[in-house]
């Protein structure tokens, strides 16, 4: 999706607020968003579908609403999509169905343990041989999936070099549709001078993790 | 169950935009009340998660990893080879660290981490991402004008230092291993950890010598 | 400039308000903006520099402020840039310099005549022969000027065909710096199927007016 | 004099963003007062321009051009060959028509005009552009999903009609010449002009037969 989220290299933004307080949460509601997000969720969701939902945020909202507020709104979309609640209920904060038994409380130690157990891996077995080895030259596709993809606009149709190979990982373009496809994943090194017109004298490198179907050659 | 229906998702976004209060605190309050009433979570559980991410899970964890890598060459090897596995030695594995990679600063290389497409971040070892990391300004500029971004953070790089920017587009997450400050031979692992800033592990800080001077 | 203004093909926007009233101005302030814009201006400005200023609008403002308000703000930038007024004066609406004589009033007929006389041409003589003729295949550049350009992102690095030749016109990339360069201008026909991944069955054509230095071949 | 200094322009944008009231009516009122006090314009002059663009300069002009092209084959030839010159026969030349081009709808072709980079529009023959023409929604979608856009405007095209989208990236401006409605042989030029909608000259309207039925 060529959406507002695809910000790499877009100009006109800035400066950066480098004097932000170091506390993890700057507003009470931000902390609540995090706690809610950690303790609830829509069943059957994939990380890719969640990200795609986030990308479909109204562009004006995406750019102007506080980050965790907009992030929480994407969670709300998944709740409504899954019939866990309605827009009206979210607007009023009151349930239209009979009150259920309260969920169980967890302690901080249980949260820490749940966090530790939530480490997930996205590599999967694949029967296909990887097409590239480290050091190979690649050219990224100009075209992407029409829906969710993780090939950013700024590295489409660009030459790069395979820096690392990571085995086959779940392809986001499929995950956003609820499908599981394992595809070889590489870290590609792009020269800044191949990406940006003003970077012709630069030796800087931009590394991007890309799947095998994101290459043309 | 979720539908994977993009048209429906767009409609829900629009409905939420039209019907929810614009004040974030009010939106979140309503969300919390509703989810509790529906028996999906509790205030205490939300509190527990907030405390976990305020007190325990944060950049202190990353700093301990970095300090260990400075004093223990064997650990450093394991960290560079497979950071996801190496952090299990601390019990720090968790959200968004299943494919953690460590990238090391040297005299000639400076590493900078960004997620241009969303805001991927190794939560379990660095905690909640700073707001600036999630802004359009940082995400747009880090890959195009990394030296300009670094300047704003007070990091001035000589031209002979190459910037390596890591855009977290897959489920790999990146941890920058900053250089050990000079004159810290007398510090133990715990004291060294106190020198490691959060920003140095993202790459928007580089020279920890000033931290070292304050502490030693 | 890869800015927020470069909207062609960006996804996530919509729907369109097709039931808008037909009156030219929907708010009194909109009418005033137009009248002010028609009757004032910063000296020495070029259309390209004005557009570049507009492109440098804070992206959040660009997407969320009413169109003519944001447009007027660009006019204000030119006034401040030219030392005609200060930001403080614009904030208060009061001049910090001694009051001058009033400008002359004009009548509606004089406005109509001034409008008629304001037709401008942007073609200029050129000693260079045009590099292409109608029917030629071209490929657009991936890279553009680092500042203002009129090569939209959605037609960069894309194949097209010369549909029409218009002589040499002032190059916007130079005009935004106050320079006059005449360069051959063509209308290029792009097949929708070469621009958009979802358009593989489409016969639709997108015509874009592009200057000769916007092509690679 | 203007500086052509992009850094300065960015700073002024930021200063205006910080210091001006957010309400458009207040901003514009202050601007008008200031410019009058500085002797750069007058209320009466602003009124005159508004009236010119409310009463005289508008889509009525474009409609007269289209109607003439329907009844006068020689004018039609001149219009298609050089629209900028042809409209001088009406005295309609002016703002943004110096390089006007006419593009003609046929049974197999539908034309649609957009400006993706800003909002270029042939003011002197169509007047003030409708707000939708200037929205991100229209500008982003017209080149990628023209049939979807047309559907929203109530225009359903058969697959055998090709859409030609004209993106006004240079100083050329485009005027769509819609097809003359059937059953209008008895109408004179002035009556025909009344059938021509503004949207039909942008391309977001196509079939003027419904207009013709109402009028005839």
């Amino acid at each position: 999706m060529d959406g507002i989220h695809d910000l790499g290299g877009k100009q006109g933004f800035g400066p950066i607020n480098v004097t932000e307080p170091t506390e993890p949460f700057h507003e009470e509601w931000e902390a609540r968003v995090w706690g809610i997000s950690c303790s609830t969720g829509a069943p059957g969701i994939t990380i890719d579908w969640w990200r795609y939902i986030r990308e479909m945020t109204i562009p004006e909202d995406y750019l102007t609403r506080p980050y965790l507020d907009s992030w929480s709104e994407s969670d709300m979309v998944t709740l409504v999509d899954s019939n866990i609640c309605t827009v009206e209920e979210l607007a009023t904060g009151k349930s239209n169905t009979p009150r259920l038994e309260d969920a169980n409380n967890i302690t901080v130690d249980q949260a820490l343990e749940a966090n530790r157990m939530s480490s997930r891996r996205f590599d999967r077995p694949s029967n296909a041989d990887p097409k590239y080895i480290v050091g190979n030259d690649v050219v990224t596709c100009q075209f992407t999936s029409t829906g969710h993809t993780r090939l950013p606009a700024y590295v489409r149709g660009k030459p790069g070099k395979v820096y690392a190979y990571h085995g086959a990982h779940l392809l986001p373009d499929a995950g956003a549709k609820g499908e599981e496809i394992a595809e070889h994943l590489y870290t590609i090194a792009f020269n800044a001078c191949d990406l940006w017109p003003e970077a012709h004298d630069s030796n800087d490198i931009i590394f991007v993790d890309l799947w095998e179907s994101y290459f043309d050659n | 169950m979720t539908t994977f229906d993009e048209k429906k998702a767009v409609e829900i976004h629009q409905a939420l935009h039209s019907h929810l209060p614009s004040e974030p605190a009010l939106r979140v309050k309503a969300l919390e009340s509703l989810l509790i009433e529906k028996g999906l979570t509790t205030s205490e559980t939300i509190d527990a998660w907030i405390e976990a991410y305020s007190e325990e899970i944060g950049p202190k964890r990353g700093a301990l990893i970095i300090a260990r890598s400075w004093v223990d060459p064997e650990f450093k090897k394991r960290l560079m080879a497979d950071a996801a596995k190496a952090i299990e030695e601390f019990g720090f594995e968790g959200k968004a660290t299943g494919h953690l990679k460590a990238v090391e600063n040297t005299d000639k290389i400076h590493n900078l981490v960004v997620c241009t497409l969303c805001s991927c971040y190794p939560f379990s070892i660095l905690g909640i991402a700073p707001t600036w990391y999630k802004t359009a300004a940082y995400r747009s500029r880090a890959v195009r004008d990394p030296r300009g971004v670094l300047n704003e953070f007070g990091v001035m790089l000589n031209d002979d230092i190459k910037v390596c920017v890591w855009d977290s587009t897959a489920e790999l997450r990146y941890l920058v291993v900053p250089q050990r400050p000079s004159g810290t031979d007398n510090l133990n692992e715990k004291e060294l950890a106190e020198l490691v800033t959060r920003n140095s592990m993202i790459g928007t800080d580089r020279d920890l010598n000033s931290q070292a001077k304050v502490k030693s």
Side-chain angles (χ1 to χ4, degrees), chain A, chain B:
Chain A
M1 176 182 179
D2 287 319
I4 190 77
H5 68 286
D6 195 353
L7 286 164
K10 295 292 188 292
Q11 296 172 298
F13 293 99
I16 295 162
N17 175 14
V18 298
T19 58
E20 182 187 333
T22 55
E23 288 73 30
F25 305 109
H26 306 329
E27 305 276 352
E28 171 63 17
W29 66 261
E30 291 187 339
R32 303 315 288 175
V33 165
W34 184 255
I36 292 167
S37 169
C38 285
S39 62
T40 61
I45 207 145
T46 62
I47 180 67
D48 311 301
W49 171 232
W50 191 89
R51 287 206 185 104
Y52 190 26
I53 286 173
R54 175 120 179 77
E55 293 166 5
M56 289 186 270
T57 302
I58 293 174
E60 293 84 342
D61 289 350
Y62 195 96
L63 281 194
T64 57
R65 296 200 67 89
Y67 182 84
L68 280 173
D69 177 38
S70 175
W71 198 76
S72 166
E73 196 256 0
S74 291
D75 273 345
M76 297 187 209
V77 173
T78 69
L79 295 174
V80 175
D81 179 47
S82 303
N83 292 321
I84 292 172
C85 65
T86 65
V87 172
E88 189 199 341
E89 287 176 319
L90 287 166
T92 60
K94 301 214 185 311
S95 177
N96 290 337
T97 54
R99 188 177 176 100
L100 296 173
E101 213 173 309
D102 284 351
N104 290 330
N105 294 331
I106 68 166
T107 64
V108 176
D109 281 346
Q110 285 170 322
L112 289 169
E113 183 59 14
N115 185 74
R116 200 179 67 77
M117 299 300 289
S118 70
S119 179
R120 290 171 59 200
R121 292 189 65 93
F122 295 82
D123 50 334
R124 295 289 185 278
S126 166
N127 294 324
D129 291 327
K131 223 170 131 184
Y132 307 98
I133 60 168
V134 169
N136 277 176
D137 292 317
V138 295
V139 176
T140 50
C141 301
Q142 288 218 359
F143 277 4
T144 67
S145 305
T146 54
H148 178 67
T149 187
R150 295 289 280 184
L151 178 61
Y154 77 95
V155 289
R156 291 184 196 155
K158 302 289 182 184
K161 203 178 265 297
V162 177
Y163 170 82
Y165 166 65
H166 305 290
H169 280 227
L170 290 172
L171 180 70
D173 313 52
K177 301 176 194 160
E179 298 160 12
E180 291 218 348
I181 296 178
E183 197 180 271
H184 298 293
L185 177 70
Y186 308 86
T187 298
I188 307 299
F190 295 93
N191 295 315
C193 58
D194 289 328
L195 301 183
W196 317 116
E198 68 277 11
H200 36 80
D201 290 332
S202 172
N203 292 318
D204 295 342
I205 309 278
I206 294 92
F207 295 91
V208 188
D209 301 324
L210 300 176
W211 280 261
E212 199 163 273
S213 59
Y214 293 179
F215 309 117
D216 261 341
N217 54 336
Chain B
M1 282 293 285
T2 198
T3 63
F4 300 102
D5 178 342
E6 56 185 32
K7 285 215 178 74
K8 192 177 170 204
V10 166
E11 285 166 11
I12 299 170
H13 272 301
Q14 287 168 344
L16 292 172
H17 177 89
S18 304
H19 295 293
L20 262 52
S22 61
E23 183 58 44
L26 294 178
R27 294 151 70 95
V28 174
K29 199 178 153 126
L31 174 66
E32 179 173 338
S33 304
L34 179 65
L35 293 176
I36 291 170
E37 193 179 340
K38 287 198 179 280
L40 296 168
T41 188
T42 69
S43 282
E44 290 78 1
T45 294
I46 294 167
D47 291 342
W49 278 103
I50 294 169
E51 196 178 331
Y53 268 86
S54 299
E55 302 300 325
E56 296 291 332
I57 304 172
K60 281 189 303 186
R61 286 185 161 189
L64 289 171
I65 297 165
I66 301 300
R68 175 79 51 91
S69 80
W70 286 344
V71 298
D72 180 346
E74 287 305 313
F75 175 75
K76 166 97 173 279
K77 271 187 208 159
R78 296 195 293 277
L79 181 71
M80 299 312 298
D82 187 346
K85 196 157 189 307
I87 65 170
E88 292 179 8
E89 298 176 29
F90 294 81
F92 289 168
E93 70 273 21
K95 275 189 206 301
T97 58
H99 298 278
L100 188 69
K101 305 281 173 189
V103 291
E104 190 182 5
N105 286 351
T106 68
D107 287 348
K108 295 293 168 208
I109 289 181
H110 183 78
N111 293 287
L112 182 70
V113 180
V114 64
C115 172
T116 61
L117 294 176
C118 45
S119 55
C120 296
Y121 194 72
F123 298 116
S124 269
I125 53 164
L126 296 185
I128 303 296
T131 301
W132 59 256
Y133 182 85
K134 300 175 276 201
T135 57
Y138 183 72
R139 287 163 53 192
S140 63
R141 294 174 59 204
V143 291
R144 184 158 191 167
D145 180 27
R147 288 166 195 268
V149 167
L150 288 168
N151 284 354
E152 288 183 23
F153 279 96
V155 179
M156 310 295 169
L157 293 183
N158 287 337
D159 285 351
D160 65 338
I161 298 176
K162 181 192 291 221
V163 178
C164 291
V165 183
W166 302 85
D167 188 359
S168 318
T169 46
E171 298 307 330
L172 278 51
R173 296 291 168 271
Y174 292 94
L175 171 70
V176 176
V177 180
Q179 290 180 285
R180 180 172 176 165
S182 54
T184 57
D185 294 351
N186 57 327
L187 299 187
N188 66 25
E189 195 176 324
K190 187 163 163 291
E191 290 165 331
L192 285 169
E194 286 170 14
L195 306 181
V196 181
T197 63
R198 178 195 62 197
N199 286 9
S200 74
M201 294 181 280
I202 304 174
T204 52
D205 187 8
R206 177 172 170 86
D207 182 0
L208 298 177
N209 273 303
S210 51
Q211 299 282 333
K213 287 211 190 80
V214 173
K215 301 275 179 182
S216 61

